[in-house]
Amino acid sequence: RRAVEMDDPSSFKRTNEVEVGLLDKVADVGDRFNEEEGTEMHQPVGARRTPKENFPLKEFLLALSLTLGGIIFLPIGLYELFGRQDIKRALPFLCITPLVLLPGSYHLHIIVRAYLGHRGFRYSQVVRRSH
């Protein structure tokens, strides 16, 4: 794709031909491997890529409530541990916090990114209960 003159081996000169950049080559390879998504790679970032999928309202509310529960339990557990210095009262809060905060924030992140139309995020990635 580029013609090189070999006058001096240490310096290469380009001619007027079009040079394909490395990022263009990577994007071309990415398009080839992304055949199942069709034209999704060429849509603007703000466009919704999954118009057939409905917004998972129940899963969104569940993820939101788990995230908020974890955010509430964490300071309560830390207060019981450091403020009152009672590990027996702090332990249940500190054990439940990661169990609700991590999956809730993970699924909330996926749902929000899919709603915004970011590449690689779809509602189908969220675990749905059977209806």
Side-chain angles (χ1 to χ4, degrees):
R1 298 200 184 232
R2 134 172 96 143
V4 178
E5 297 177 9
M6 296 286 290
D7 295 338
D8 185 10
S10 63
S11 65
F12 293 101
K13 298 179 183 177
R14 287 182 269 160
T15 61
N16 295 358
E17 293 184 24
V18 177
E19 179 180 344
V20 177
L22 181 60
L23 293 177
D24 294 334
K25 290 180 183 178
V26 171
D28 184 42
V29 170
D31 283 343
R32 287 188 204 139
F33 288 119
N34 205 3
E35 292 174 2
E36 72 176 17
E37 296 176 12
T39 61
E40 179 175 331
M41 297 288 289
H42 303 291
Q43 292 181 350
V45 175
R48 294 191 72 184
R49 289 172 173 71
T50 55
K52 295 178 183 175
E53 290 183 294
N54 294 331
F55 183 77
L57 183 62
K58 292 179 183 178
E59 289 79 8
F60 172 74
L61 293 175
L62 177 64
L64 185 65
S65 63
L66 287 174
T67 303
L68 291 176
I71 290 172
I72 292 170
F73 283 166
L74 182 61
I76 292 173
L78 292 176
Y79 173 72
E80 293 291 335
L81 182 64
F82 296 116
R84 293 188 179 182
Q85 297 180 351
D86 187 6
I87 195 165
K88 289 183 181 180
R89 291 180 69 172
L91 195 59
F93 289 106
L94 294 177
C95 288
I96 291 174
T97 296
L99 295 177
V100 296
L101 183 63
L102 293 176
S105 60
Y106 174 74
H107 284 93
L108 190 63
H109 174 77
I110 291 174
I111 291 171
V112 168
R113 295 284 302 262
Y115 178 76
L116 294 175
H118 293 170
R119 185 181 310 156
F121 292 92
R122 291 186 264 330
Y123 295 139
S124 61
Q125 294 173 329
V126 177
V127 177
R128 293 186 181 198
R129 57 185 202 89
S130 61
H131 297 283

